[in-house]
Short mmCIF file of all heavy atoms in Angstrom, two decimals:
data_model
loop_
_atom_site.label_atom_id
_atom_site.label_comp_id
_atom_site.label_asym_id
_atom_site.label_seq_id
_atom_site.Cartn_x
_atom_site.Cartn_y
_atom_site.Cartn_z
N GLU J 29 28.45 31.75 -3.33
CA GLU J 29 27.64 31.61 -4.52
C GLU J 29 28.49 31.30 -5.75
O GLU J 29 28.15 30.42 -6.56
CB GLU J 29 26.81 32.84 -4.78
CG GLU J 29 25.76 33.16 -3.77
CD GLU J 29 26.29 33.91 -2.54
OE1 GLU J 29 27.51 34.02 -2.38
OE2 GLU J 29 25.45 34.39 -1.77
N VAL J 46 25.36 4.01 -6.55
CA VAL J 46 23.90 3.88 -6.69
C VAL J 46 23.36 5.30 -6.51
O VAL J 46 23.73 5.99 -5.60
CB VAL J 46 23.32 2.96 -5.59
CG1 VAL J 46 21.82 2.86 -5.72
CG2 VAL J 46 23.95 1.56 -5.65
N PRO J 49 18.26 8.08 -3.46
CA PRO J 49 16.82 7.95 -3.65
C PRO J 49 16.19 9.35 -3.94
O PRO J 49 16.48 10.33 -3.21
CB PRO J 49 16.37 7.39 -2.31
CG PRO J 49 17.57 6.58 -1.86
CD PRO J 49 18.73 7.36 -2.29
N GLY J 50 15.41 9.44 -4.95
CA GLY J 50 14.78 10.73 -5.37
C GLY J 50 15.52 11.38 -6.46
O GLY J 50 15.04 12.29 -7.09
N PHE J 51 16.81 10.97 -6.69
CA PHE J 51 17.64 11.63 -7.76
C PHE J 51 18.29 10.61 -8.59
O PHE J 51 19.50 10.50 -8.73
CB PHE J 51 18.62 12.58 -7.06
CG PHE J 51 17.94 13.65 -6.32
CD1 PHE J 51 17.59 13.49 -5.01
CD2 PHE J 51 17.60 14.84 -6.96
CE1 PHE J 51 16.87 14.47 -4.31
CE2 PHE J 51 16.90 15.82 -6.27
CZ PHE J 51 16.52 15.66 -4.97
N ASN J 63 32.76 26.14 4.65
CA ASN J 63 33.26 27.03 5.68
C ASN J 63 34.64 26.58 6.14
O ASN J 63 35.06 25.42 6.00
CB ASN J 63 32.28 27.28 6.78
CG ASN J 63 32.21 26.27 7.87
OD1 ASN J 63 33.15 25.49 8.08
ND2 ASN J 63 31.10 26.25 8.63
N ASP J 65 36.13 26.00 8.83
CA ASP J 65 36.36 24.98 9.86
C ASP J 65 36.20 23.59 9.26
O ASP J 65 36.42 22.60 9.98
CB ASP J 65 35.39 25.20 11.03
CG ASP J 65 35.58 26.57 11.60
OD1 ASP J 65 36.67 26.87 11.95
OD2 ASP J 65 34.59 27.32 11.70
N LEU J 68 31.29 22.09 7.00
CA LEU J 68 30.16 22.16 6.08
C LEU J 68 30.60 22.13 4.61
O LEU J 68 31.48 22.84 4.22
CB LEU J 68 29.33 23.45 6.31
CG LEU J 68 28.02 23.56 5.54
CD1 LEU J 68 27.02 22.48 5.96
CD2 LEU J 68 27.42 24.92 5.73
N ASP J 78 22.50 23.42 -10.20
CA ASP J 78 21.48 23.89 -9.24
C ASP J 78 21.18 22.87 -8.15
O ASP J 78 20.55 23.17 -7.16
CB ASP J 78 20.16 24.22 -9.98
CG ASP J 78 20.28 25.48 -10.81
OD1 ASP J 78 21.17 26.29 -10.47
OD2 ASP J 78 19.56 25.62 -11.77
N LEU J 79 21.62 21.63 -8.40
CA LEU J 79 21.32 20.59 -7.38
C LEU J 79 22.51 20.42 -6.44
O LEU J 79 23.63 20.14 -6.87
CB LEU J 79 21.02 19.23 -8.08
CG LEU J 79 20.79 18.07 -7.08
CD1 LEU J 79 19.50 18.31 -6.29
CD2 LEU J 79 20.78 16.74 -7.79
N ARG J 80 22.23 20.64 -5.18
CA ARG J 80 23.31 20.46 -4.20
C ARG J 80 22.69 20.04 -2.85
O ARG J 80 21.54 20.45 -2.57
CB ARG J 80 24.20 21.68 -4.02
CG ARG J 80 23.43 22.94 -3.67
CD ARG J 80 24.38 24.08 -3.52
NE ARG J 80 23.60 25.30 -3.12
CZ ARG J 80 23.11 26.15 -3.98
NH1 ARG J 80 23.37 26.03 -5.25
NH2 ARG J 80 22.44 27.18 -3.56
N PHE J 81 23.49 19.32 -2.11
CA PHE J 81 23.05 18.90 -0.78
C PHE J 81 24.09 19.44 0.22
O PHE J 81 25.28 19.33 -0.03
CB PHE J 81 23.01 17.38 -0.69
CG PHE J 81 22.02 16.73 -1.59
CD1 PHE J 81 22.38 16.31 -2.87
CD2 PHE J 81 20.69 16.55 -1.17
CE1 PHE J 81 21.44 15.70 -3.73
CE2 PHE J 81 19.77 15.92 -2.01
CZ PHE J 81 20.14 15.54 -3.25
N LEU J 82 23.63 19.94 1.32
CA LEU J 82 24.54 20.32 2.41
C LEU J 82 24.87 19.05 3.14
O LEU J 82 24.00 18.25 3.48
CB LEU J 82 23.90 21.29 3.36
CG LEU J 82 23.58 22.70 2.81
CD1 LEU J 82 22.98 23.55 3.89
CD2 LEU J 82 24.81 23.33 2.21
N PHE J 89 28.79 16.57 15.85
CA PHE J 89 27.43 16.85 16.24
C PHE J 89 26.82 15.66 16.98
O PHE J 89 25.98 15.82 17.84
CB PHE J 89 26.59 17.18 15.03
CG PHE J 89 27.13 18.33 14.22
CD1 PHE J 89 27.97 18.12 13.16
CD2 PHE J 89 26.80 19.64 14.61
CE1 PHE J 89 28.52 19.21 12.47
CE2 PHE J 89 27.35 20.68 13.91
CZ PHE J 89 28.18 20.47 12.84
N ALA J 103 32.11 -3.44 -1.23
CA ALA J 103 32.20 -3.99 -2.55
C ALA J 103 31.75 -2.97 -3.63
O ALA J 103 32.37 -2.76 -4.67
CB ALA J 103 31.45 -5.29 -2.65
N ILE J 119 22.22 17.22 5.39
CA ILE J 119 21.58 18.18 6.26
C ILE J 119 20.37 18.79 5.58
O ILE J 119 20.44 19.17 4.41
CB ILE J 119 22.59 19.32 6.63
CG1 ILE J 119 23.73 18.71 7.45
CG2 ILE J 119 21.90 20.47 7.34
CD1 ILE J 119 24.89 19.66 7.67
N THR J 120 19.27 18.89 6.29
CA THR J 120 18.12 19.63 5.82
C THR J 120 17.97 20.91 6.60
O THR J 120 17.85 20.90 7.81
CB THR J 120 16.83 18.75 6.03
OG1 THR J 120 16.97 17.53 5.35
CG2 THR J 120 15.58 19.50 5.45
N ALA J 121 18.16 22.02 5.86
CA ALA J 121 18.05 23.35 6.48
C ALA J 121 16.61 23.74 6.55
O ALA J 121 15.98 23.85 5.53
CB ALA J 121 18.87 24.35 5.72
N ASN J 129 20.36 13.65 8.55
CA ASN J 129 19.83 12.35 8.23
C ASN J 129 20.81 11.28 8.71
O ASN J 129 21.77 10.97 8.03
CB ASN J 129 19.57 12.24 6.72
CG ASN J 129 18.94 10.89 6.34
OD1 ASN J 129 18.90 9.95 7.13
ND2 ASN J 129 18.51 10.83 5.08
N ALA J 132 20.48 7.54 6.84
CA ALA J 132 21.08 7.29 5.51
C ALA J 132 22.30 8.24 5.29
O ALA J 132 22.18 9.15 4.55
CB ALA J 132 20.04 7.44 4.45
N GLN J 145 24.71 6.35 -0.73
CA GLN J 145 23.91 6.73 0.45
C GLN J 145 23.41 5.42 1.08
O GLN J 145 22.53 4.77 0.52
CB GLN J 145 22.71 7.64 0.06
CG GLN J 145 22.01 8.19 1.27
CD GLN J 145 20.95 9.24 0.92
OE1 GLN J 145 20.44 9.25 -0.16
NE2 GLN J 145 20.66 10.13 1.87
N VAL J 147 21.54 3.01 3.50
CA VAL J 147 20.31 3.05 4.26
C VAL J 147 20.46 2.08 5.46
O VAL J 147 20.57 0.86 5.29
CB VAL J 147 19.07 2.66 3.42
CG1 VAL J 147 17.80 2.77 4.25
CG2 VAL J 147 18.97 3.57 2.25
N VAL J 155 15.83 9.84 10.55
CA VAL J 155 16.02 10.52 9.31
C VAL J 155 16.26 12.01 9.56
O VAL J 155 16.93 12.68 8.84
CB VAL J 155 14.82 10.30 8.34
CG1 VAL J 155 14.90 11.13 7.10
CG2 VAL J 155 14.72 8.81 7.99
N ARG J 156 15.59 12.47 10.61
CA ARG J 156 15.69 13.92 10.99
C ARG J 156 16.12 14.08 12.41
O ARG J 156 15.38 14.13 13.34
CB ARG J 156 14.36 14.60 10.76
CG ARG J 156 13.97 14.74 9.27
CD ARG J 156 12.61 15.35 9.11
NE ARG J 156 12.26 15.45 7.69
CZ ARG J 156 11.75 14.46 7.03
NH1 ARG J 156 11.54 13.30 7.59
NH2 ARG J 156 11.50 14.61 5.72
N MET J 159 20.09 19.15 14.75
CA MET J 159 21.49 19.52 14.94
C MET J 159 21.61 20.76 15.78
O MET J 159 20.92 21.75 15.59
CB MET J 159 22.17 19.84 13.57
CG MET J 159 22.29 18.65 12.64
SD MET J 159 23.13 19.22 11.17
CE MET J 159 24.83 18.73 11.54
N PRO J 161 24.37 23.69 17.55
CA PRO J 161 25.73 24.23 17.31
C PRO J 161 26.74 23.43 18.13
O PRO J 161 26.45 23.02 19.26
CB PRO J 161 25.62 25.70 17.82
CG PRO J 161 24.20 26.01 17.67
CD PRO J 161 23.45 24.75 18.01
N TYR J 163 29.67 24.62 19.04
CA TYR J 163 30.50 25.49 19.84
C TYR J 163 29.69 26.14 20.95
O TYR J 163 28.50 26.37 20.83
CB TYR J 163 31.10 26.62 18.98
CG TYR J 163 31.95 26.03 17.86
CD1 TYR J 163 31.47 25.97 16.56
CD2 TYR J 163 33.24 25.50 18.14
CE1 TYR J 163 32.24 25.42 15.53
CE2 TYR J 163 33.97 24.97 17.14
CZ TYR J 163 33.48 24.91 15.84
OH TYR J 163 34.26 24.36 14.84
N ARG M 52 24.66 -6.02 -6.78
CA ARG M 52 24.96 -5.04 -5.73
C ARG M 52 24.64 -3.60 -6.13
O ARG M 52 24.59 -2.74 -5.24
CB ARG M 52 26.42 -5.17 -5.21
CG ARG M 52 27.42 -4.86 -6.25
CD ARG M 52 28.80 -5.10 -5.67
NE ARG M 52 29.81 -4.69 -6.57
CZ ARG M 52 30.95 -5.33 -6.81
NH1 ARG M 52 31.22 -6.43 -6.13
NH2 ARG M 52 31.83 -4.85 -7.61
N GLN M 55 19.61 -1.61 -5.20
CA GLN M 55 19.37 -1.48 -3.78
C GLN M 55 17.98 -2.02 -3.46
O GLN M 55 16.99 -1.72 -4.21
CB GLN M 55 19.52 -0.05 -3.33
CG GLN M 55 20.99 0.32 -3.27
CD GLN M 55 21.24 1.34 -2.18
OE1 GLN M 55 20.72 2.42 -2.18
NE2 GLN M 55 22.06 0.91 -1.24
N HIS M 57 15.03 -2.04 -0.56
CA HIS M 57 14.59 -1.40 0.66
C HIS M 57 13.14 -1.73 0.95
O HIS M 57 12.37 -1.99 0.01
CB HIS M 57 14.70 0.13 0.54
CG HIS M 57 16.04 0.61 0.25
ND1 HIS M 57 17.09 0.41 1.08
CD2 HIS M 57 16.55 1.24 -0.87
CE1 HIS M 57 18.19 0.95 0.54
NE2 HIS M 57 17.88 1.43 -0.65
N VAL M 61 10.47 2.84 4.02
CA VAL M 61 11.79 3.39 4.35
C VAL M 61 12.32 4.19 3.13
O VAL M 61 12.80 5.30 3.27
CB VAL M 61 12.80 2.26 4.76
CG1 VAL M 61 14.23 2.83 4.82
CG2 VAL M 61 12.39 1.65 6.04
N TYR M 62 12.15 3.55 1.97
CA TYR M 62 12.65 4.24 0.76
C TYR M 62 11.88 5.53 0.51
O TYR M 62 12.48 6.55 0.19
CB TYR M 62 12.50 3.28 -0.45
CG TYR M 62 13.01 3.84 -1.72
CD1 TYR M 62 14.39 3.68 -2.04
CD2 TYR M 62 12.21 4.59 -2.62
CE1 TYR M 62 14.93 4.24 -3.21
CE2 TYR M 62 12.76 5.14 -3.77
CZ TYR M 62 14.11 4.93 -4.07
OH TYR M 62 14.60 5.52 -5.17
N GLU M 64 10.39 7.47 2.66
CA GLU M 64 10.82 8.44 3.68
C GLU M 64 12.12 9.11 3.29
O GLU M 64 12.33 10.32 3.40
CB GLU M 64 10.88 7.80 5.03
CG GLU M 64 11.01 8.80 6.21
CD GLU M 64 11.14 8.12 7.55
OE1 GLU M 64 11.44 6.86 7.61
OE2 GLU M 64 11.02 8.79 8.55
N LEU M 65 13.04 8.27 2.84
CA LEU M 65 14.40 8.75 2.44
C LEU M 65 14.30 9.64 1.21
O LEU M 65 14.92 10.70 1.16
CB LEU M 65 15.31 7.54 2.21
CG LEU M 65 16.71 7.80 1.69
CD1 LEU M 65 17.45 8.77 2.66
CD2 LEU M 65 17.47 6.51 1.57
N GLN M 66 13.47 9.19 0.25
CA GLN M 66 13.29 10.00 -0.93
C GLN M 66 12.72 11.40 -0.60
O GLN M 66 13.24 12.38 -1.07
CB GLN M 66 12.28 9.22 -1.82
CG GLN M 66 12.25 9.60 -3.25
CD GLN M 66 11.24 8.72 -3.97
OE1 GLN M 66 10.14 8.39 -3.46
NE2 GLN M 66 11.58 8.25 -5.16
N SER M 68 12.95 12.92 2.30
CA SER M 68 13.95 13.67 3.05
C SER M 68 15.07 14.25 2.10
O SER M 68 15.48 15.36 2.24
CB SER M 68 14.58 12.74 4.09
OG SER M 68 15.73 13.30 4.62
N ASN M 69 15.50 13.44 1.15
CA ASN M 69 16.50 13.93 0.17
C ASN M 69 15.94 15.08 -0.65
O ASN M 69 16.66 16.07 -0.87
CB ASN M 69 16.91 12.79 -0.76
CG ASN M 69 17.94 11.86 -0.17
OD1 ASN M 69 18.52 12.19 0.86
ND2 ASN M 69 18.17 10.73 -0.80
N ARG M 70 14.71 15.00 -1.07
CA ARG M 70 14.12 16.09 -1.85
C ARG M 70 14.00 17.38 -1.04
O ARG M 70 14.21 18.44 -1.58
CB ARG M 70 12.76 15.63 -2.38
CG ARG M 70 12.92 14.64 -3.56
CD ARG M 70 11.62 14.23 -4.19
NE ARG M 70 11.83 13.33 -5.29
CZ ARG M 70 11.00 12.42 -5.64
NH1 ARG M 70 9.82 12.30 -5.04
NH2 ARG M 70 11.24 11.62 -6.66
N GLU M 71 13.69 17.18 0.23
CA GLU M 71 13.56 18.34 1.11
C GLU M 71 14.95 18.99 1.34
O GLU M 71 15.06 20.19 1.46
CB GLU M 71 12.94 17.87 2.39
CG GLU M 71 12.30 18.94 3.26
CD GLU M 71 11.87 18.45 4.60
OE1 GLU M 71 11.28 17.31 4.62
OE2 GLU M 71 12.05 19.14 5.57
N ALA M 72 15.96 18.14 1.42
CA ALA M 72 17.31 18.65 1.70
C ALA M 72 17.96 19.27 0.48
O ALA M 72 18.86 20.08 0.57
CB ALA M 72 18.18 17.46 2.16
N ALA M 73 17.47 18.88 -0.74
CA ALA M 73 18.10 19.32 -1.97
C ALA M 73 18.06 20.82 -2.21
O ALA M 73 17.01 21.45 -1.92
CB ALA M 73 17.50 18.57 -3.15
N SER M 74 19.16 21.37 -2.66
CA SER M 74 19.25 22.75 -3.10
C SER M 74 18.62 23.78 -2.14
O SER M 74 17.63 24.42 -2.40
CB SER M 74 18.56 22.89 -4.48
OG SER M 74 19.23 22.02 -5.39
N PRO M 75 19.24 23.94 -0.94
CA PRO M 75 18.79 24.94 0.01
C PRO M 75 19.01 26.35 -0.55
O PRO M 75 19.87 26.53 -1.42
CB PRO M 75 19.67 24.67 1.25
CG PRO M 75 20.90 24.00 0.70
CD PRO M 75 20.43 23.20 -0.49
N GLN M 77 20.25 30.34 -0.41
CA GLN M 77 21.49 30.95 0.14
C GLN M 77 21.29 31.35 1.61
O GLN M 77 22.21 31.24 2.38
CB GLN M 77 21.89 32.15 -0.71
CG GLN M 77 22.50 31.78 -2.03
CD GLN M 77 23.70 30.82 -1.86
OE1 GLN M 77 24.47 30.90 -0.97
NE2 GLN M 77 23.81 29.86 -2.79
N GLU M 79 19.41 29.84 3.78
CA GLU M 79 19.50 28.62 4.60
C GLU M 79 20.95 28.14 4.71
O GLU M 79 21.42 27.71 5.79
CB GLU M 79 18.66 27.50 3.99
CG GLU M 79 17.13 27.75 4.14
CD GLU M 79 16.27 26.83 3.33
OE1 GLU M 79 16.74 26.29 2.29
OE2 GLU M 79 15.13 26.64 3.74
N VAL M 80 21.69 28.26 3.62
CA VAL M 80 23.14 27.89 3.64
C VAL M 80 23.88 28.71 4.66
O VAL M 80 24.69 28.22 5.47
CB VAL M 80 23.77 28.00 2.25
CG1 VAL M 80 25.27 27.75 2.33
CG2 VAL M 80 23.11 27.01 1.29
N ARG M 81 23.61 30.05 4.63
CA ARG M 81 24.27 30.96 5.60
C ARG M 81 23.95 30.57 7.04
O ARG M 81 24.79 30.60 7.91
CB ARG M 81 23.87 32.40 5.26
CG ARG M 81 24.65 32.99 4.09
CD ARG M 81 24.51 34.46 3.99
NE ARG M 81 24.94 34.84 2.63
CZ ARG M 81 24.11 35.00 1.60
NH1 ARG M 81 22.79 34.82 1.77
NH2 ARG M 81 24.57 35.31 0.40
N VAL M 83 23.02 27.71 8.29
CA VAL M 83 23.70 26.45 8.69
C VAL M 83 25.19 26.70 8.91
O VAL M 83 25.80 26.24 9.86
CB VAL M 83 23.42 25.33 7.66
CG1 VAL M 83 24.22 24.10 8.02
CG2 VAL M 83 21.96 24.99 7.53
N SER M 84 25.76 27.45 7.97
CA SER M 84 27.21 27.74 8.03
C SER M 84 27.56 28.45 9.34
O SER M 84 28.55 28.18 10.02
CB SER M 84 27.61 28.56 6.83
OG SER M 84 28.98 28.74 6.84
N MET M 86 25.88 28.34 12.09
CA MET M 86 25.69 27.45 13.21
C MET M 86 26.96 26.59 13.48
O MET M 86 27.24 26.14 14.54
CB MET M 86 24.52 26.54 12.93
CG MET M 86 24.07 25.69 14.07
SD MET M 86 22.78 24.52 13.46
CE MET M 86 23.81 23.12 13.03
N MET M 87 27.73 26.37 12.41
CA MET M 87 28.91 25.52 12.51
C MET M 87 30.18 26.31 12.78
O MET M 87 31.21 25.72 12.82
CB MET M 87 29.02 24.77 11.21
CG MET M 87 27.87 23.83 11.03
SD MET M 87 28.22 22.71 9.69
CE MET M 87 26.84 21.60 9.83
N LYS M 88 30.10 27.59 12.93
CA LYS M 88 31.28 28.39 13.18
C LYS M 88 31.39 28.73 14.64
O LYS M 88 30.37 28.97 15.32
CB LYS M 88 31.21 29.68 12.43
CG LYS M 88 31.69 29.54 10.96
CD LYS M 88 31.64 30.93 10.29
CE LYS M 88 31.92 30.76 8.81
NZ LYS M 88 31.62 31.93 8.06
N PRO M 89 32.65 28.84 15.15
CA PRO M 89 32.78 29.36 16.51
C PRO M 89 32.22 30.78 16.60
O PRO M 89 32.32 31.52 15.64
CB PRO M 89 34.31 29.40 16.70
CG PRO M 89 34.91 28.58 15.60
CD PRO M 89 33.89 28.59 14.47
N PRO M 90 31.57 31.09 17.74
CA PRO M 90 30.88 32.41 17.86
C PRO M 90 31.81 33.61 17.62
O PRO M 90 31.36 34.63 17.22
CB PRO M 90 30.29 32.38 19.25
CG PRO M 90 30.88 31.18 19.92
CD PRO M 90 31.45 30.28 18.90
N THR M 92 34.15 33.95 15.49
CA THR M 92 34.56 34.19 14.05
C THR M 92 33.56 35.15 13.39
O THR M 92 32.34 34.93 13.49
CB THR M 92 34.55 32.85 13.28
OG1 THR M 92 35.38 31.93 13.98
CG2 THR M 92 35.02 33.03 11.88
#
Side-chain angles (χ1 to χ4, degrees):
Chain J
E29 294 85 347
V46 178
F51 297 89
N63 86 19
D65 301 307
L68 186 64
D78 288 338
L79 177 66
R80 57 179 182 266
F81 296 91
L82 293 181
F89 304 93
I119 294 171
T120 302
N129 183 348
Q145 188 172 24
V147 182
V155 173
R156 290 177 181 82
M159 292 183 96
Y163 301 102
Chain M
R52 64 186 187 217
Q55 286 213 299
H57 302 296
V61 170
Y62 185 87
E64 191 183 15
L65 177 55
Q66 199 177 39
S68 167
N69 278 347
R70 285 182 179 152
E71 201 185 318
S74 303
Q77 285 305 323
E79 288 171 334
V80 174
R81 280 191 197 95
V83 175
S84 183
M86 189 186 92
M87 294 192 174
K88 274 181 189 169
T92 305

